């Protein structure tokens, strides 16, 4: 199975940022012949602080995403947090993502499955890979034709995550497509004075380790200037550095 790539800014900021990222992803897709989904969130409903930027909201955010699709032709992926958002988002995007904290929410999984779009379920930080059998079954029994699973690390004490790469092999028992979230896995949750910190220098190694364990999809949050990003900046890759990481993953 050929790998897929999911990449984009964490949250929708400005149309200029979306366009700059999408333009680079289109260039890489055409240069390397890989499948790349453009990802951005219209609402980050699980930010650390009430004062943190959440996004433009569903209506405006989906309009901005639709504009990206019409001009760059990239397939889209976004996450949903409420059941009612599934059918609305599915009118615009090509795949729906279930956030890690919500991967056991039955009504959300069922609503996403019923859209007929691929459902990417991120493994919760408090679950093992084997536990993901049941979210997959909820989607499959609700009509989902395609279910993906994404590894993003587990809680390891306070303000830190650890990745057990055996989870990739375990989750491949339940679905053919297992994705490594290479940037969220280096987060330091809540470790930056009311914001999430991170260690982006480990992202390339996380990706290569996941490849060695059999991952066939890779998720990256990328930004032209992560230091100014409105969400998840410390763990995001610089846009200019993404090509080198992508190259390392498609080399035989």
């Amino acid at each position: 199975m050929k790998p897929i790539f999911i990449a984009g800014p964490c949250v929708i900021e400005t149309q200029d940022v979306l366009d700059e990222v999408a333009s680079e992803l289109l260039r890489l897709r055409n240069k390397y012949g890989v499948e790349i989904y453009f990802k951005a969130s219209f609402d980050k409903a699980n930010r650390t602080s009430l004062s943190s930027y959440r996004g433009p909201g569903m209506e405006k955010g989906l309009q901005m995403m639709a504009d990206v699709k019409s001009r760059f032709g990239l397939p889209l992926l976004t996450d949903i947090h409420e059941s009612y958002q599934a059918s609305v988002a599915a009118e615009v995007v090509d795949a729906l993502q279930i956030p890690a904290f919500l991967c056991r929410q039955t009504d959300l999984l069922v609503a996403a499955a019923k859209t007929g779009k691929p459902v990417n379920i991120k493994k919760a930080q408090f679950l093992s890979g084997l536990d993901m059998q049941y979210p997959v079954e909820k989607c499959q029994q609700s009509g989902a034709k395609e279910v993906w699973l994404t590894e993003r690390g587990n809680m390891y004490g306070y303000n830190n995550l650890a990745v057990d790469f055996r989870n990739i092999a375990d989750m491949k028992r339940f679905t053919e497509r297992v994705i490594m979230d290479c940037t969220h896995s280096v987060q330091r949750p809540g470790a930056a004075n009311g914001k999430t910190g991170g260690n982006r220098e480990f992202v390339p190694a996380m990706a290569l380790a996941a490849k060695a364990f059999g991952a066939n999809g890779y998720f990256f949050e990328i930004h032209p200037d992560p230091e100014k990003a409105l969400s998840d900046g410390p763990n995001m890759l610089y846009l200019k550095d993404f090509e080198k990481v992508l190259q390392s993953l498609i080399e035989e």
Side-chain angles (χ1 to χ4, degrees):
M1 177 178 282
K2 290 186 177 181
I4 64 170
F5 293 85
I6 300 169
C10 177
V11 66
I12 296 172
E13 298 179 10
T14 66
Q15 195 70 54
D16 287 344
V17 170
L18 297 186
D19 291 351
E20 185 174 354
V21 173
S23 178
E24 175 65 359
L25 295 182
L26 178 61
R27 184 186 72 83
L28 295 175
R29 185 186 73 174
N30 293 340
K31 180 176 180 178
Y32 296 102
V34 294
E35 185 176 5
I36 302 180
Y37 282 76
F38 179 91
K39 181 269 173 185
S41 300
F42 56 79
D43 180 24
K44 299 296 292 184
N46 56 356
R47 297 301 306 274
T48 301
S49 170
L50 185 62
S51 62
S52 296
Y53 176 73
R54 289 181 52 165
M58 184 166 64
E59 182 176 357
K60 182 178 180 181
L62 289 175
Q63 288 176 351
M64 295 170 74
M65 293 280 279
D67 184 65
V68 168
K69 187 174 184 178
S70 68
R71 292 190 293 117
F72 297 95
L74 294 165
L76 305 177
L77 178 145
T78 197
D79 41 15
I80 57 173
H81 295 82
E82 303 280 354
S83 300
Y84 77 88
Q85 296 173 341
S87 59
V88 180
E91 294 178 3
V92 175
V93 304
D94 301 277
L96 295 171
Q97 182 167 279
I98 306 300
F101 289 141
L102 301 178
C103 73
R104 289 169 55 99
Q105 295 295 104
T106 300
D107 291 345
L108 185 62
L109 292 166
V110 170
K114 286 183 176 179
T115 68
K117 302 288 185 177
V119 181
N120 181 32
I121 312 173
K122 301 187 81 171
K123 180 184 72 61
Q125 298 91 326
F126 48 83
L127 295 180
S128 72
L130 294 176
D131 291 330
M132 296 306 292
Q133 173 184 349
Y134 305 103
V136 170
E137 289 178 350
K138 289 178 182 180
C139 286
Q140 291 174 336
Q141 293 171 16
S142 301
K145 298 180 179 64
E146 193 170 347
V147 183
W148 309 339
L149 290 175
T150 294
E151 167 62 32
R152 53 97 13 97
N154 287 81
M155 295 306 297
Y156 186 71
Y158 295 104
N159 304 129
N160 210 345
L161 294 171
V163 177
D164 182 347
F165 289 96
R166 294 173 298 182
N167 283 328
I168 294 172
D170 285 341
M171 291 193 291
K172 290 184 79 171
R173 304 183 190 192
F174 316 125
T175 180
E176 293 184 349
R177 180 72 70 189
V178 175
I179 298 163
M180 181 66 199
D181 186 336
C182 305
T183 46
H184 283 103
S185 60
V186 300
Q187 280 183 334
R188 300 289 302 276
N193 296 319
K195 298 179 182 180
T196 290
N199 299 98
R200 74 171 62 89
E201 65 269 25
F202 299 128
V203 169
M206 284 286 187
L208 287 173
K211 179 181 179 181
F213 274 84
N216 50 26
Y218 304 92
F219 180 110
F220 298 91
E221 288 190 333
I222 56 179
H223 194 282
D225 188 356
E227 303 305 328
K228 296 181 180 178
L230 299 180
S231 177
D232 277 359
N235 53 265
M236 298 171 79
L237 278 180
Y238 280 86
L239 182 61
K240 63 181 178 62
D241 295 333
F242 182 51
E243 181 173 8
K244 184 177 180 180
V245 178
L246 186 148
Q247 280 181 307
S248 73
L249 296 170
I250 59 177
E251 291 173 348
E252 295 296 336

